[in-house]
Amino acid sequence: MPKLRTRMFQSWFRMSRPMTLGVRAMLEDSQGRVLLVRHTYTSGLFLPGGGVEKGEIAEVSLRRELIEEAGAEIVGAPRLIGIYSNHRVFPNDHVVLYRLDAEAWQAREPTSRGEISQRLWIDPVSPPEDATPGTKRRLAEVYGGGVSDGYW
């Protein structure tokens, strides 16, 4: 059922928005770990984030999504890592990736109810097996000296 629901949601998004934009964050704690989240509606571990709403700028979306999914309020300046094509997953989709070190955010109660089933702090050099391919590529790029091909 989750795959069908995801496909239906993507189809609706595709028809209502010819191009989509999302934001994700590499949220670091004081030990250098990075937060990954598991959603209730799809498999795998993801960097926290979500869609940019119509009329919203990317950093505003990032702030909203981090409070919702991660329980993290941005108090410093997020650093832009890059903008990636997510065409492999969804045609004409793009992801803006930011990085926030431990001093750039503070913990608060997540506002999302029922969307996130797990929040997991991980070593960014050795992510869990079920981290999504895009998540693994970005972690390797930023923390392992990997090269970006521009695709999420």
Side-chain angles (χ1 to χ4, degrees):
M1 184 66 168
K3 287 183 182 183
L4 177 60
R5 182 171 58 181
T6 299
R7 288 287 179 209
M8 288 172 50
F9 183 72
Q10 286 179 337
S11 295
W12 173 81
F13 237 73
R14 189 77 184 127
M15 290 172 47
S16 65
R17 300 174 183 175
M19 188 192 93
T20 56
L21 181 65
V23 291
R24 297 244 174 235
M26 290 181 166
L27 189 68
E28 300 171 3
D29 70 5
S30 60
Q31 299 169 32
R33 300 177 301 176
V34 172
L35 182 69
L36 298 183
V37 296
R38 186 180 311 280
H39 295 92
T40 57
Y41 52 83
T42 191
S43 61
L45 288 163
F46 295 80
L47 294 164
V52 175
E53 299 295 332
K54 187 174 184 177
E56 195 173 50
I57 63 172
E59 193 172 317
V60 170
S61 301
L62 182 71
R63 290 177 182 277
R64 176 179 47 76
E65 290 290 342
L66 287 181
I67 289 170
E68 288 175 9
E69 292 191 356
E73 181 178 9
I74 297 175
V75 295
R79 288 178 285 162
L80 176 65
I81 299 297
I83 302 172
Y84 302 86
S85 163
N86 197 20
H87 299 170
R88 293 177 183 149
V89 174
F90 191 61
N92 213 20
D93 183 37
H94 297 81
V95 179
V96 181
L97 178 63
Y98 294 91
R99 183 176 179 181
L100 292 100
D101 60 26
E103 291 78 33
W105 66 276
Q106 63 186 16
R108 61 176 282 186
E109 187 67 27
T111 59
S112 174
R113 300 288 179 248
E115 179 184 3
I116 304 301
S117 64
Q118 183 180 23
R119 292 173 183 87
L120 183 65
W121 291 99
I122 60 106
D123 176 356
V125 176
S126 54
E129 284 295 316
D130 63 338
T132 64
T135 298
K136 288 179 182 177
R137 283 191 296 275
R138 297 297 72 79
L139 291 170
E141 174 186 330
V142 173
Y143 297 96
V147 178
S148 172
D149 64 0
Y151 289 94
W152 187 258

